[in-house]
Every structure is written in structure tokens, then in C-alpha cells.
Amino acid sequence: MQKILSLKNIEKNYGNKDYTTKVLKGIDLDIYANDFIAIMGPSGSGKTTLLNILSTIDKPTHGQLILNGQDLTHISNKVLSKIRRDQIGFIFQDYNLLDTMSLEDNIALPLSLNGVAAGKIREKVRELANLFGLTEHLKKYPYQLSGGQKQRGATCRALITDPEIIFADEPTGALDSKASRDLLERLKLVNERGQATILMVTHDAFSASYAKEVYILSDGRIQSRLTCGASRKDFYDRIIDMQASMGSDFA
């Protein structure tokens, strides 16, 4: 199976030589094509820092981050920007849609910026909009959409370039339970179809139960890993049990 992303002994420190805070303390993680991984952990465990390093927004103090065989640890910001544009997709909690553009144009934006032909862009937008239940909303502006519709649109925008990996930062954090389930079901579908490799950071056991594997981060280290079985309900229960055994607030 193709290895997409690899972390080798990743450490992240903040401060100076007189006072240093160690946030990540030697993280090793391999992500393969078609993985769906959820990262969970108590507040202050290092989840956000780990996501920032994985997605190349931040750089580690020590260790290596390797994407498709290329070490990203010491390359220039210009090269990193191109990698983010071409190989990485982002889904944020607050959607980040542009209010002055229709949903259709928001979804199409990454391909438009890359100079892709208009016909191909329209075809790709229609394909994703259909998959995410947005066909009838494409001409609307973000203020005319529900939170669930906006997040599904943001997900389409992340997928439209066929990135190597999607990073989702608390994607259901601003959604009600129905909209959360709808988004997660569609993310699971595109993953099962082989259309997306996904890494999701979440505090929510229900959201995490849609992943194939859950990594529990605590005190800057990966403390445990849970793998889904035949039943998502059983997986959810095991995640809840793990949270309870740690005695920590994952919010």
C-alpha cells in the first residue's frame, strides 16, 4: 500500500533555551493511501500543534515530515506553498468560504487559480455537488446556506484538486447533530470509494467513530491506537471507554 505521509520522531518546542515548553515529544506516524484517521486527546495534548505540522503550516523543532517520499522539514516556504496548493486539502471548523462568491465559485476556486479549463471545472464541481447533496444550492451565496451546507461546500472545495490527503480540523464543531452525521457519512463514502485519504482532529467520539483508526494523543505523545471493527456503534463505545479510562476532558 502506498505511504502518503510519514512522521519520524517529531518534536515541537516553544520558548527559548532558558524556558522551553515541549509540546510534541517524539511522534511517529505513517499514513497510507485511503486511510481515515482521527486524532483525539485532552485539551493541551498537542492535537492542534500536530495538525499544523502535518499540514505544513508549522515546522517541527526536530524530526522529519515526509510526503510522498519528499522530506518537507527543510524546504523553502515557496515550495511548501505549492505543495499545499497541489497535494493537500483543508477542511476548517468555520468553513472559510468567501462571502462575495457563489457556492459554485467557492468550490471551483482552487482549480480556477490553477488555470484549469472552464469546462473541466464545471464538470468536477457538478460531480462533487451531486455527491454532497448541493446541486440545487450552487448558485446561492454562503449567507443563504445552512451551516451543514456550507461545510459540505467547503469539503467539496478541499476535494476538487484530488489532493493526496485531506486535513479536517474539528469539521463538525459548528454543526448540529443532523448536519454532523450528514457530513461524516459523505466523508466516509468518498474515503471508501478511494477518493480521499483523511486525517481528522476531533474531540468528539461520535465523529471519531466514522474513522478507520483513532490515535489518542496525551502529553505530547501517542498513547494508544484504536482500530474500527465491524460495527461503528462498538467502535464508538470503545472510544468512549478510552476517554473515560484517561479521566480527561477531550473538549
Side-chain angles (χ1 to χ4, degrees), residues 9-34:
N9 194 31
I10 291 292
E11 298 180 10
K12 183 64 179 181
N13 303 332
Y14 292 102
N16 53 45
K17 63 181 180 179
D18 296 320
Y19 182 80
T20 300
T21 300
K22 295 184 177 182
V23 180
L24 300 179
K25 304 172 182 178
I27 301 288
D28 294 301
L29 177 63
D30 292 324
I31 301 171
Y32 293 86
N34 206 38

PDB file of all heavy atoms in Angstrom, residues 9-34:
ATOM      1  N   ASN A   9       9.857  10.735  14.601  1.00  0.00           N
ATOM      2  CA  ASN A   9      10.389  11.336  15.828  1.00  0.00           C
ATOM      3  C   ASN A   9      10.167  12.852  15.867  1.00  0.00           C
ATOM      4  O   ASN A   9      11.075  13.633  16.138  1.00  0.00           O
ATOM      5  CB  ASN A   9      11.886  11.020  15.967  1.00  0.00           C
ATOM      6  CG  ASN A   9      12.401  11.317  17.365  1.00  0.00           C
ATOM      7  OD1 ASN A   9      11.675  11.203  18.344  1.00  0.00           O
ATOM      8  ND2 ASN A   9      13.652  11.722  17.459  1.00  0.00           N
ATOM      9  N   ILE A  10       8.936  13.251  15.595  1.00  0.00           N
ATOM     10  CA  ILE A  10       8.605  14.675  15.558  1.00  0.00           C
ATOM     11  C   ILE A  10       8.535  15.254  16.976  1.00  0.00           C
ATOM     12  O   ILE A  10       7.806  14.752  17.840  1.00  0.00           O
ATOM     13  CB  ILE A  10       7.259  14.908  14.835  1.00  0.00           C
ATOM     14  CG1 ILE A  10       7.390  14.609  13.345  1.00  0.00           C
ATOM     15  CG2 ILE A  10       6.761  16.341  15.059  1.00  0.00           C
ATOM     16  CD1 ILE A  10       8.260  15.579  12.579  1.00  0.00           C
ATOM     17  N   GLU A  11       9.284  16.326  17.179  1.00  0.00           N
ATOM     18  CA  GLU A  11       9.235  17.083  18.427  1.00  0.00           C
ATOM     19  C   GLU A  11       8.935  18.538  18.097  1.00  0.00           C
ATOM     20  O   GLU A  11       9.348  19.049  17.063  1.00  0.00           O
ATOM     21  CB  GLU A  11      10.575  16.995  19.172  1.00  0.00           C
ATOM     22  CG  GLU A  11      10.961  15.586  19.584  1.00  0.00           C
ATOM     23  CD  GLU A  11      12.297  15.543  20.309  1.00  0.00           C
ATOM     24  OE1 GLU A  11      12.821  16.629  20.656  1.00  0.00           O
ATOM     25  OE2 GLU A  11      12.812  14.444  20.542  1.00  0.00           O
ATOM     26  N   LYS A  12       8.215  19.180  19.004  1.00  0.00           N
ATOM     27  CA  LYS A  12       7.940  20.600  18.844  1.00  0.00           C
ATOM     28  C   LYS A  12       8.068  21.283  20.201  1.00  0.00           C
ATOM     29  O   LYS A  12       7.385  20.926  21.171  1.00  0.00           O
ATOM     30  CB  LYS A  12       6.535  20.856  18.273  1.00  0.00           C
ATOM     31  CG  LYS A  12       6.245  22.340  18.035  1.00  0.00           C
ATOM     32  CD  LYS A  12       7.150  22.949  16.980  1.00  0.00           C
ATOM     33  CE  LYS A  12       6.826  24.418  16.739  1.00  0.00           C
ATOM     34  NZ  LYS A  12       7.692  25.006  15.697  1.00  0.00           N
ATOM     35  N   ASN A  13       8.988  22.258  20.236  1.00  0.00           N
ATOM     36  CA  ASN A  13       9.221  23.024  21.457  1.00  0.00           C
ATOM     37  C   ASN A  13       8.895  24.492  21.215  1.00  0.00           C
ATOM     38  O   ASN A  13       9.084  25.003  20.106  1.00  0.00           O
ATOM     39  CB  ASN A  13      10.686  22.910  21.900  1.00  0.00           C
ATOM     40  CG  ASN A  13      11.129  21.473  22.104  1.00  0.00           C
ATOM     41  OD1 ASN A  13      10.312  20.604  22.434  1.00  0.00           O
ATOM     42  ND2 ASN A  13      12.403  21.218  21.906  1.00  0.00           N
ATOM     43  N   TYR A  14       8.434  25.159  22.250  1.00  0.00           N
ATOM     44  CA  TYR A  14       8.225  26.597  22.215  1.00  0.00           C
ATOM     45  C   TYR A  14       9.023  27.236  23.350  1.00  0.00           C
ATOM     46  O   TYR A  14       9.252  26.630  24.380  1.00  0.00           O
ATOM     47  CB  TYR A  14       6.743  26.945  22.367  1.00  0.00           C
ATOM     48  CG  TYR A  14       5.898  26.519  21.194  1.00  0.00           C
ATOM     49  CD1 TYR A  14       5.099  25.382  21.265  1.00  0.00           C
ATOM     50  CD2 TYR A  14       5.900  27.244  20.005  1.00  0.00           C
ATOM     51  CE1 TYR A  14       4.317  24.984  20.188  1.00  0.00           C
ATOM     52  CE2 TYR A  14       5.135  26.850  18.925  1.00  0.00           C
ATOM     53  CZ  TYR A  14       4.347  25.725  19.019  1.00  0.00           C
ATOM     54  OH  TYR A  14       3.590  25.327  17.945  1.00  0.00           O
ATOM     55  N   GLY A  15       9.438  28.475  23.146  1.00  0.00           N
ATOM     56  CA  GLY A  15      10.200  29.182  24.161  1.00  0.00           C
ATOM     57  C   GLY A  15      11.642  29.365  23.736  1.00  0.00           C
ATOM     58  O   GLY A  15      11.974  29.359  22.542  1.00  0.00           O
ATOM     59  N   ASN A  16      12.535  29.515  24.721  1.00  0.00           N
ATOM     60  CA  ASN A  16      13.951  29.705  24.442  1.00  0.00           C
ATOM     61  C   ASN A  16      14.767  28.773  25.319  1.00  0.00           C
ATOM     62  O   ASN A  16      14.215  27.922  26.030  1.00  0.00           O
ATOM     63  CB  ASN A  16      14.350  31.165  24.674  1.00  0.00           C
ATOM     64  CG  ASN A  16      13.941  31.656  26.066  1.00  0.00           C
ATOM     65  OD1 ASN A  16      14.150  30.959  27.055  1.00  0.00           O
ATOM     66  ND2 ASN A  16      13.355  32.855  26.123  1.00  0.00           N
ATOM     67  N   LYS A  17      16.080  28.930  25.267  1.00  0.00           N
ATOM     68  CA  LYS A  17      16.955  27.996  25.984  1.00  0.00           C
ATOM     69  C   LYS A  17      16.778  28.083  27.503  1.00  0.00           C
ATOM     70  O   LYS A  17      17.078  27.125  28.227  1.00  0.00           O
ATOM     71  CB  LYS A  17      18.411  28.244  25.605  1.00  0.00           C
ATOM     72  CG  LYS A  17      18.942  29.617  26.000  1.00  0.00           C
ATOM     73  CD  LYS A  17      20.390  29.770  25.559  1.00  0.00           C
ATOM     74  CE  LYS A  17      20.933  31.147  25.959  1.00  0.00           C
ATOM     75  NZ  LYS A  17      22.356  31.302  25.546  1.00  0.00           N
ATOM     76  N   ASP A  18      16.285  29.228  27.986  1.00  0.00           N
ATOM     77  CA  ASP A  18      16.085  29.376  29.426  1.00  0.00           C
ATOM     78  C   ASP A  18      14.773  28.745  29.905  1.00  0.00           C
ATOM     79  O   ASP A  18      14.674  28.265  31.028  1.00  0.00           O
ATOM     80  CB  ASP A  18      16.107  30.854  29.816  1.00  0.00           C
ATOM     81  CG  ASP A  18      17.468  31.488  29.549  1.00  0.00           C
ATOM     82  OD1 ASP A  18      18.480  30.822  29.804  1.00  0.00           O
ATOM     83  OD2 ASP A  18      17.495  32.649  29.067  1.00  0.00           O
ATOM     84  N   TYR A  19      13.769  28.790  29.035  1.00  0.00           N
ATOM     85  CA  TYR A  19      12.487  28.181  29.402  1.00  0.00           C
ATOM     86  C   TYR A  19      11.841  27.604  28.140  1.00  0.00           C
ATOM     87  O   TYR A  19      11.462  28.345  27.238  1.00  0.00           O
ATOM     88  CB  TYR A  19      11.545  29.202  30.038  1.00  0.00           C
ATOM     89  CG  TYR A  19      10.232  28.592  30.473  1.00  0.00           C
ATOM     90  CD1 TYR A  19      10.143  27.888  31.669  1.00  0.00           C
ATOM     91  CD2 TYR A  19       9.104  28.681  29.662  1.00  0.00           C
ATOM     92  CE1 TYR A  19       8.952  27.293  32.064  1.00  0.00           C
ATOM     93  CE2 TYR A  19       7.908  28.099  30.050  1.00  0.00           C
ATOM     94  CZ  TYR A  19       7.835  27.398  31.255  1.00  0.00           C
ATOM     95  OH  TYR A  19       6.666  26.810  31.634  1.00  0.00           O
ATOM     96  N   THR A  20      11.764  26.289  28.070  1.00  0.00           N
ATOM     97  CA  THR A  20      11.235  25.603  26.901  1.00  0.00           C
ATOM     98  C   THR A  20      10.030  24.749  27.286  1.00  0.00           C
ATOM     99  O   THR A  20      10.081  24.006  28.266  1.00  0.00           O
ATOM    100  CB  THR A  20      12.311  24.699  26.263  1.00  0.00           C
ATOM    101  OG1 THR A  20      13.419  25.496  25.874  1.00  0.00           O
ATOM    102  CG2 THR A  20      11.758  23.964  25.040  1.00  0.00           C
ATOM    103  N   THR A  21       8.982  24.878  26.511  1.00  0.00           N
ATOM    104  CA  THR A  21       7.809  24.014  26.667  1.00  0.00           C
ATOM    105  C   THR A  21       7.820  22.975  25.552  1.00  0.00           C
ATOM    106  O   THR A  21       7.811  23.324  24.370  1.00  0.00           O
ATOM    107  CB  THR A  21       6.501  24.832  26.595  1.00  0.00           C
ATOM    108  OG1 THR A  21       6.503  25.804  27.636  1.00  0.00           O
ATOM    109  CG2 THR A  21       5.295  23.917  26.750  1.00  0.00           C
ATOM    110  N   LYS A  22       7.837  21.708  25.924  1.00  0.00           N
ATOM    111  CA  LYS A  22       7.828  20.630  24.937  1.00  0.00           C
ATOM    112  C   LYS A  22       6.382  20.206  24.696  1.00  0.00           C
ATOM    113  O   LYS A  22       5.741  19.645  25.577  1.00  0.00           O
ATOM    114  CB  LYS A  22       8.664  19.457  25.433  1.00  0.00           C
ATOM    115  CG  LYS A  22      10.146  19.782  25.574  1.00  0.00           C
ATOM    116  CD  LYS A  22      10.951  18.545  25.974  1.00  0.00           C
ATOM    117  CE  LYS A  22      12.440  18.883  26.031  1.00  0.00           C
ATOM    118  NZ  LYS A  22      13.267  17.696  26.377  1.00  0.00           N
ATOM    119  N   VAL A  23       5.901  20.489  23.491  1.00  0.00           N
ATOM    120  CA  VAL A  23       4.500  20.199  23.169  1.00  0.00           C
ATOM    121  C   VAL A  23       4.359  18.818  22.542  1.00  0.00           C
ATOM    122  O   VAL A  23       3.457  18.054  22.892  1.00  0.00           O
ATOM    123  CB  VAL A  23       3.931  21.278  22.230  1.00  0.00           C
ATOM    124  CG1 VAL A  23       2.474  20.980  21.885  1.00  0.00           C
ATOM    125  CG2 VAL A  23       4.038  22.653  22.882  1.00  0.00           C
ATOM    126  N   LEU A  24       5.232  18.485  21.601  1.00  0.00           N
ATOM    127  CA  LEU A  24       5.270  17.145  20.998  1.00  0.00           C
ATOM    128  C   LEU A  24       6.593  16.496  21.367  1.00  0.00           C
ATOM    129  O   LEU A  24       7.648  17.114  21.250  1.00  0.00           O
ATOM    130  CB  LEU A  24       5.099  17.227  19.482  1.00  0.00           C
ATOM    131  CG  LEU A  24       3.793  17.851  18.977  1.00  0.00           C
ATOM    132  CD1 LEU A  24       3.785  17.895  17.453  1.00  0.00           C
ATOM    133  CD2 LEU A  24       2.573  17.095  19.498  1.00  0.00           C
ATOM    134  N   LYS A  25       6.539  15.223  21.760  1.00  0.00           N
ATOM    135  CA  LYS A  25       7.706  14.586  22.365  1.00  0.00           C
ATOM    136  C   LYS A  25       8.079  13.271  21.670  1.00  0.00           C
ATOM    137  O   LYS A  25       8.166  12.226  22.285  1.00  0.00           O
ATOM    138  CB  LYS A  25       7.437  14.336  23.846  1.00  0.00           C
ATOM    139  CG  LYS A  25       7.046  15.594  24.608  1.00  0.00           C
ATOM    140  CD  LYS A  25       6.607  15.286  26.029  1.00  0.00           C
ATOM    141  CE  LYS A  25       6.166  16.540  26.762  1.00  0.00           C
ATOM    142  NZ  LYS A  25       5.684  16.252  28.136  1.00  0.00           N
ATOM    143  N   GLY A  26       8.251  13.357  20.356  1.00  0.00           N
ATOM    144  CA  GLY A  26       8.689  12.175  19.627  1.00  0.00           C
ATOM    145  C   GLY A  26       7.528  11.405  19.018  1.00  0.00           C
ATOM    146  O   GLY A  26       7.233  10.274  19.424  1.00  0.00           O
ATOM    147  N   ILE A  27       6.864  12.007  18.031  1.00  0.00           N
ATOM    148  CA  ILE A  27       5.703  11.394  17.378  1.00  0.00           C
ATOM    149  C   ILE A  27       6.160  10.630  16.135  1.00  0.00           C
ATOM    150  O   ILE A  27       6.831  11.176  15.266  1.00  0.00           O
ATOM    151  CB  ILE A  27       4.665  12.459  16.964  1.00  0.00           C
ATOM    152  CG1 ILE A  27       4.187  13.251  18.173  1.00  0.00           C
ATOM    153  CG2 ILE A  27       3.492  11.812  16.222  1.00  0.00           C
ATOM    154  CD1 ILE A  27       3.282  12.511  19.106  1.00  0.00           C
ATOM    155  N   ASP A  28       5.768   9.364  16.055  1.00  0.00           N
ATOM    156  CA  ASP A  28       5.968   8.548  14.857  1.00  0.00           C
ATOM    157  C   ASP A  28       4.595   8.148  14.328  1.00  0.00           C
ATOM    158  O   ASP A  28       3.761   7.636  15.084  1.00  0.00           O
ATOM    159  CB  ASP A  28       6.783   7.288  15.166  1.00  0.00           C
ATOM    160  CG  ASP A  28       8.209   7.589  15.568  1.00  0.00           C
ATOM    161  OD1 ASP A  28       8.930   8.209  14.765  1.00  0.00           O
ATOM    162  OD2 ASP A  28       8.607   7.215  16.686  1.00  0.00           O
ATOM    163  N   LEU A  29       4.368   8.396  13.046  1.00  0.00           N
ATOM    164  CA  LEU A  29       3.061   8.097  12.462  1.00  0.00           C
ATOM    165  C   LEU A  29       3.203   7.914  10.957  1.00  0.00           C
ATOM    166  O   LEU A  29       3.842   8.730  10.293  1.00  0.00           O
ATOM    167  CB  LEU A  29       2.083   9.245  12.752  1.00  0.00           C
ATOM    168  CG  LEU A  29       0.669   9.148  12.170  1.00  0.00           C
ATOM    169  CD1 LEU A  29      -0.063   7.955  12.753  1.00  0.00           C
ATOM    170  CD2 LEU A  29      -0.108  10.439  12.435  1.00  0.00           C
ATOM    171  N   ASP A  30       2.625   6.849  10.430  1.00  0.00           N
ATOM    172  CA  ASP A  30       2.581   6.605   8.987  1.00  0.00           C
ATOM    173  C   ASP A  30       1.135   6.629   8.518  1.00  0.00           C
ATOM    174  O   ASP A  30       0.257   5.999   9.130  1.00  0.00           O
ATOM    175  CB  ASP A  30       3.204   5.249   8.632  1.00  0.00           C
ATOM    176  CG  ASP A  30       4.711   5.216   8.868  1.00  0.00           C
ATOM    177  OD1 ASP A  30       5.358   6.248   8.632  1.00  0.00           O
ATOM    178  OD2 ASP A  30       5.223   4.165   9.289  1.00  0.00           O
ATOM    179  N   ILE A  31       0.877   7.354   7.433  1.00  0.00           N
ATOM    180  CA  ILE A  31      -0.453   7.449   6.852  1.00  0.00           C
ATOM    181  C   ILE A  31      -0.392   6.899   5.426  1.00  0.00           C
ATOM    182  O   ILE A  31       0.439   7.332   4.628  1.00  0.00           O
ATOM    183  CB  ILE A  31      -0.948   8.905   6.841  1.00  0.00           C
ATOM    184  CG1 ILE A  31      -0.971   9.463   8.274  1.00  0.00           C
ATOM    185  CG2 ILE A  31      -2.340   9.007   6.212  1.00  0.00           C
ATOM    186  CD1 ILE A  31      -1.234  10.954   8.344  1.00  0.00           C
ATOM    187  N   TYR A  32      -1.279   5.952   5.131  1.00  0.00           N
ATOM    188  CA  TYR A  32      -1.279   5.286   3.834  1.00  0.00           C
ATOM    189  C   TYR A  32      -2.480   5.724   3.005  1.00  0.00           C
ATOM    190  O   TYR A  32      -3.465   6.243   3.535  1.00  0.00           O
ATOM    191  CB  TYR A  32      -1.294   3.765   4.026  1.00  0.00           C
ATOM    192  CG  TYR A  32      -0.024   3.221   4.645  1.00  0.00           C
ATOM    193  CD1 TYR A  32       0.130   3.187   6.028  1.00  0.00           C
ATOM    194  CD2 TYR A  32       1.024   2.757   3.853  1.00  0.00           C
ATOM    195  CE1 TYR A  32       1.305   2.697   6.601  1.00  0.00           C
ATOM    196  CE2 TYR A  32       2.197   2.270   4.409  1.00  0.00           C
ATOM    197  CZ  TYR A  32       2.322   2.241   5.786  1.00  0.00           C
ATOM    198  OH  TYR A  32       3.480   1.774   6.343  1.00  0.00           O
ATOM    199  N   ALA A  33      -2.382   5.508   1.709  1.00  0.00           N
ATOM    200  CA  ALA A  33      -3.474   5.857   0.805  1.00  0.00           C
ATOM    201  C   ALA A  33      -4.777   5.216   1.276  1.00  0.00           C
ATOM    202  O   ALA A  33      -4.812   4.033   1.632  1.00  0.00           O
ATOM    203  CB  ALA A  33      -3.145   5.390  -0.618  1.00  0.00           C
ATOM    204  N   ASN A  34      -5.831   6.026   1.305  1.00  0.00           N
ATOM    205  CA  ASN A  34      -7.173   5.602   1.680  1.00  0.00           C
ATOM    206  C   ASN A  34      -7.352   5.385   3.174  1.00  0.00           C
ATOM    207  O   ASN A  34      -8.354   4.832   3.598  1.00  0.00           O
ATOM    208  CB  ASN A  34      -7.603   4.340   0.914  1.00  0.00           C
ATOM    209  CG  ASN A  34      -9.118   4.242   0.780  1.00  0.00           C
ATOM    210  OD1 ASN A  34      -9.790   5.256   0.576  1.00  0.00           O
ATOM    211  ND2 ASN A  34      -9.658   3.042   0.896  1.00  0.00           N
TER     212      ASN A  34
END
